[in-house]
Each structure stands twice: as C-alpha cells, then as structure tokens.
Amino acid sequence: MKEPLAGSDEWEEFDATQEFRQILVGLGNFDIFQTELGGKPFEGLTVRLFDPKTRLWTIYWADSNAGKLDDGKVGSFNGDEGEFFGREVVAGKDVIVKFHWDKRNPKTPIYSRAFSADAGRTWEWNWYSKFSRR
C-alpha cells in the first residue's frame, strides 16, 4: 500500500529479488531483499532467529533507508502458517504490527503485513509478497 494508515487503497506493485541462507546450524536464517523504489536502489535485510526453549521465532528487519535493525516481531508457526507480532511507530502512530507467513504451497509462499492503530481491534493489510524461485 502506497500510504499505510492514511485511508488509502492505492497499491504499488514491483519486482524484487531475495537471496536466502540458513545460519546457526538451522536456528536461524537471513535474506537480502533488493529492488528499486521511486527510481532508487533499495535493499533490505531480514534476520530470523529461533529460540528452542520458547519455540518462538523473532524476525528482525533493516533497510537502506533506516540503516538499523528494528525491535523484532515474535511468533511461531502452526502447521504451514505463522503469525508474528511487534510494535512500531508508523506515520506518527504507535501500532501493533502483524506478519503472516503462509507456506501451504511451498513453491509460492506468501508473506503479508498488517498494522493496527486501535490495539488489535481492526487491521489494515498493507503489504503482500508472493515468492517464487528463479
């Protein structure tokens, strides 16, 4: 979505590449996301770490705009679907962030993101990534 939390329904579509690698003997992974946004190169980094004691994953994100890791989103998978939650300030609003991973079709997993500015009563879905292998 071009302008999250602004009542907009205008979307922007673009292609990107994402290179993935397992780390820490399977207790984590990372990927590098590359595309062009607004005519400028954009790069993102995701680091995912699994805690075997709690059985929870924490997902961290950094990008070429901010240059730092976020506070992470925590959650787990139930079968082939996973939900992860955290907090961010978006457009000046303190929001709950929800990540949803759907890997029911392992050839085309889908990642989506939503924001809630009202403590989880309503959600604005504002990002969808549909993956395929090269």
Side-chain angles (χ1 to χ4, degrees):
M1 183 173 289
K2 282 190 173 183
E3 294 184 55
L5 300 175
S8 172
D9 62 357
E10 191 175 353
W11 290 85
E12 181 176 6
E13 292 188 29
F14 55 89
D15 291 325
T17 61
Q18 204 157 356
E19 295 181 42
F20 173 88
R21 181 173 171 209
Q22 285 194 343
I23 57 173
L24 305 175
V25 194
L27 291 178
N29 58 65
F30 76 89
D31 64 58
I32 297 173
F33 173 93
Q34 295 177 316
T35 192
E36 199 172 277
L37 297 176
K40 296 179 184 177
F42 178 85
E43 190 169 80
L45 168 72
T46 309
V47 178
R48 300 173 193 86
L49 301 173
F50 181 71
D51 182 337
K53 291 179 185 170
T54 64
R55 309 226 17 100
L56 296 173
W57 285 90
T58 303
I59 303 172
Y60 301 95
W61 169 259
D63 64 49
S64 54
N65 289 339
K68 64 178 185 170
L69 283 174
D70 69 9
D71 292 333
K73 312 302 179 275
V74 179
S76 64
F77 280 87
N78 182 8
D80 288 333
E81 294 186 78
E83 290 200 329
F84 307 85
F85 296 89
R87 297 196 82 87
E88 289 182 17
V89 175
V90 177
K93 299 174 185 173
D94 182 29
V95 300
I96 301 172
V97 180
K98 180 185 342 187
F99 292 171
H100 183 84
W101 274 98
D102 181 344
K103 58 180 188 157
R104 289 176 290 178
N105 182 343
K107 291 183 179 182
T108 57
I110 299 171
Y111 159 79
S112 52
R113 178 188 72 191
F115 295 152
S116 176
D118 60 10
R121 286 186 292 282
T122 62
W123 293 94
E124 176 190 85
W125 291 96
N126 53 55
W127 184 280
Y128 294 92
S129 292
K130 299 174 183 176
F131 295 90
S132 62
R133 291 184 185 264
R134 283 196 252 172

